[in-house]
Amino acid sequence: MTGVIVTNPPKADLEDVDALAGFGVATVSEAMGRTGLLGPGIRPVQQGVRVAGTAVTVLSRPGDNLMIHAAVEQCGEGDILVVTTTSPSTDGMFGELFATALRRRGVRGLVINAGIRDTQELREMDFPAWSRAVCAQGTVKATGGSVNVPVAVDGQVIRPGDVILADDDGVVVVPRDSARATVEASEAREAKEARSREAFLDGELGLDRYGLRDTLKKLGVEYKTYEEYTADEGERS
């Protein structure tokens, strides 16, 4: 496997990245038209943490973390390391020593489509991580790969410099060229949700606020009293 290490790729503006960190993963995905979500298999090793950063991508062979070592040099302030493998892997490719080196360089977290270990230590040092698996199995450093190239995770293409937003609900990728527009769309969605929240606190039902009674009617869903329902069931039995 040959590879390439791309240096100094363009990145989303950190002002937009930090603005996106103010929204949840669900809000941002909805604001982009329900796109960008990595699958539910990528889960946090901690709780109550939300982080956003610019992607430094790694493509490795399974069970081999050589290219993570190479990627550390390419990481800087405001980045999130994104690692995937050429075929499925659950080996623990990343642990506390990597996190120590990345923290020193200002990296905000990790998303890995493989295994991670030293999770207690990662939580204790407040280095947030999202992974496909937790596994103590170690790895080798023997095969080439690539850094800062487009990679795919769960059908989502992640390019170097794209925005990665992660929280308790999962991970979403925002294309770097769409970061500002996504901030604005997320602000609008959050404002809309705030209005709905106030309406629900006042007792309004979603059925009425969203016009869902007509939807139920068009779908043939009927309202029946308990007596009517049980009588109908009795006739069918």
Side-chain angles (χ1 to χ4, degrees):
M1 177 180 178
T2 59
V4 61
I5 298 172
V6 180
T7 62
N8 300 319
K11 299 180 179 182
D13 192 299
L14 271 182
E15 182 178 349
D16 295 331
V17 175
D18 291 340
L20 285 168
F23 307 103
V25 165
T27 294
V28 170
S29 175
E30 293 282 354
M32 292 194 299
R34 298 182 181 177
T35 63
L37 284 175
L38 306 193
I42 305 288
R43 301 301 305 150
V45 302
Q46 67 288 308
Q47 289 291 302
V49 175
R50 180 187 298 158
V51 63
T54 46
V56 172
T57 61
V58 179
L59 180 63
S60 288
R61 277 286 181 90
D64 192 316
N65 68 3
L66 172 63
M67 298 314 296
I68 300 180
H69 284 279
V72 172
E73 183 181 27
Q74 304 306 315
C75 290
E77 189 71 37
D79 287 332
I80 289 180
L81 187 65
V82 179
V83 180
T84 192
T85 53
T86 55
S87 59
S89 175
T90 58
D91 292 341
M93 298 177 64
F94 185 100
E96 177 262 337
L97 291 179
F98 271 137
T100 300
L102 291 176
R103 173 60 58 78
R104 175 64 176 81
R105 302 179 76 84
V107 174
R108 297 179 175 180
L110 168 80
V111 173
I112 183 167
N113 188 28
I116 194 172
R117 61 185 187 176
D118 302 335
T119 56
Q120 179 178 339
E121 289 81 0
L122 295 179
R123 288 189 291 269
E124 289 174 350
M125 66 186 293
D126 295 324
F127 187 87
W130 287 255
S131 70
R132 177 72 61 182
V134 174
C135 182
Q137 177 65 46
T139 58
V140 299
K141 304 165 181 59
T143 311
S146 295
V147 176
N148 278 332
V149 299
V151 297
V153 178
D154 292 336
Q156 300 296 332
V157 176
I158 303 170
R159 296 176 174 82
D162 284 350
V163 183
I164 299 296
L165 175 66
D167 62 18
D168 289 351
D169 291 338
V171 182
V172 65
V173 56
V174 179
R176 65 173 186 262
D177 294 337
S178 303
R180 172 41 45 183
T182 303
V183 170
E184 295 170 354
S186 298
E187 289 172 343
R189 179 169 182 82
E190 197 166 71
K192 179 181 178 182
E193 289 185 347
R195 293 191 294 271
S196 294
R197 189 175 300 109
E198 287 298 319
F200 295 153
L201 285 171
D202 287 339
E204 186 175 0
L205 295 174
L207 284 173
D208 299 313
R209 184 166 185 82
Y210 303 138
L212 298 178
R213 294 190 189 279
D214 286 341
T215 301
L216 291 174
K217 185 176 180 180
K218 290 175 182 177
L219 292 172
V221 179
E222 300 177 311
Y223 283 86
K224 291 185 178 181
T225 66
Y226 179 76
E227 291 76 15
E228 290 170 336
Y229 174 73
T230 53
D232 290 344
E233 288 298 301
E235 291 176 1
R236 283 192 286 267
S237 63

